[in-house]
Amino acid sequence: MCNHFALITKFPLKKGATKADKDRHAVNAANKFDRNVLEAKLSLVLGRSKGSKGTGVMHNGRRIRSHDYHTRIGKPSKNANHDSLQFIESLYFFEEKSDHTFKKPDNYHVFMGHNRAPSSGHGAGEKFVHPFEYGEEATIVIGDKEVDTLKNRLWFQHNGTITNARKLASDHGLNFNDYGNDSFLIGTLIYNGVDPSEIFKAYEGACTCIWYWEKDNTLNVFKGGTKNSSGVLTEERELYMYQNEHQI
């Protein structure tokens, strides 16, 4: 069983704001961001009890995973199935000018995070560390250099083991062996435009999902559970929601 979470916070600036209003807004936004970082790290630290074999997080378009940490400190990164506490401690959530994937909006922050406990036969290594990232290939110019990137991105993460993943793949004209992992397959189907409700009616096994669309800034949560081959829900998954904003 894995652990995953999502956190979204908004702090809009009212139209016609004075300079004093903008200054207060900047201070409040910075304080909220600091609190969000602590909440994100705490969620990942606590989540290690359910999965410590590869950890990933997405914040406002920047995806960082535990093998990235090993790369940064000069250790081999081909196998991301390692204890991830050092990675969590090293997480950074600030803008780097060289990181063109990061967006620093004035009025919101979105975090997604996942602690992985790999299911037997469902992929090991950095390729399978959540959240997964999908998007259209694009090239942008930064200074005098062309940089390959993705646009219209989707980030997806999943908890559970889907036992009929091969059938779901074939039902949509895909070969499961090309994906090698039930979670990566489900994210691909959603990115390709398959109605999520269709997927969540058809799956067997265990499934809860979180995904975020860049194109319309929407955070989506599916609280599923464990279903048998007859489509009967035999076990519900826990979902904890906390809201401290008047409007999300």
Side-chain angles (χ1 to χ4, degrees):
M1 179 182 292
C2 306
N3 168 71
H4 61 163
F5 78 94
L7 170 66
I8 184 169
T9 183
K10 289 187 175 183
F11 32 91
L13 180 64
K14 295 181 179 180
K15 292 183 179 180
T18 64
K19 183 181 183 302
D21 291 333
K22 292 179 181 179
D23 291 341
R24 282 193 296 270
H25 176 269
V27 172
N28 291 334
N31 290 337
K32 281 191 175 184
F33 175 65
D34 290 341
R35 185 184 67 194
N36 293 158
V37 169
L38 291 175
E39 291 170 339
K41 286 189 174 184
L42 179 61
S43 297
L44 291 174
V45 169
L46 295 178
R48 290 177 67 250
S49 63
K50 293 187 176 181
S52 61
K53 304 301 182 183
T55 299
V57 65
M58 188 281 288
H59 168 232
N60 286 12
R62 178 197 284 124
R63 181 180 61 155
I64 316 171
R65 295 174 293 174
S66 45
H67 62 276
D68 299 324
Y69 164 76
H70 272 212
T71 300
R72 200 160 66 244
I73 63 175
K75 290 186 176 181
S77 64
K78 291 184 178 180
N79 187 355
N81 285 353
H82 52 75
D83 189 284
S84 46
L85 182 58
Q86 287 178 308
F87 162 70
I88 297 170
E89 292 174 341
S90 76
L91 277 177
Y92 57 96
F93 293 102
F94 53 84
E95 181 179 11
E96 288 188 335
K97 293 181 179 179
S98 61
D99 191 344
H100 63 274
T101 64
F102 181 68
K103 295 183 177 180
K104 189 178 180 182
D106 294 328
N107 60 354
Y108 74 91
H109 286 281
V110 177
F111 296 82
M112 291 171 60
H114 188 279
N115 303 83
R116 187 165 190 248
S119 303
S120 177
H122 280 75
E126 60 187 67
K127 179 180 178 181
F128 299 108
V129 177
H130 306 222
F132 300 112
E133 183 178 64
Y134 309 83
E136 303 170 27
E137 293 184 358
T139 300
I140 62 175
V141 177
I142 300 179
D144 58 351
K145 296 182 180 180
E146 290 188 348
V147 179
D148 293 331
T149 186
L150 298 174
K151 64 179 182 179
N152 297 326
R153 292 172 295 176
L154 167 75
W155 294 272
F156 176 86
Q157 57 194 39
H158 162 242
N159 180 11
T161 301
I162 296 177
T163 57
N164 65 335
R166 292 183 180 276
K167 183 177 185 304
L168 288 176
S170 62
D171 287 348
H172 293 91
L174 302 177
N175 184 343
F176 177 77
N177 292 333
D178 293 337
Y179 301 89
N181 176 276
D182 53 347
S183 305
F184 187 55
L185 170 69
I186 298 304
T188 300
L189 292 175
I190 292 176
Y191 181 74
N192 287 346
V194 177
D195 187 341
S197 64
E198 178 183 340
I199 300 170
F200 299 142
K201 288 177 183 177
Y203 84 88
E204 296 171 12
C207 181
T208 65
C209 303
I210 299 173
W211 66 101
Y212 182 78
W213 276 106
E214 180 179 50
K215 61 184 179 182
D216 53 9
N217 291 331
T218 56
L219 181 69
N220 305 268
V221 179
F222 171 70
K223 176 187 176 296
T226 302
K227 291 198 306 184
N228 59 27
S229 58
S230 299
V232 177
L233 190 67
T234 60
E235 178 188 359
E236 288 197 41
R237 289 295 176 99
E238 296 175 333
L239 173 66
Y240 300 98
M241 296 187 67
Y242 173 71
Q243 175 178 330
N244 65 355
E245 307 286 348
H246 295 295
Q247 183 177 357
I248 296 296

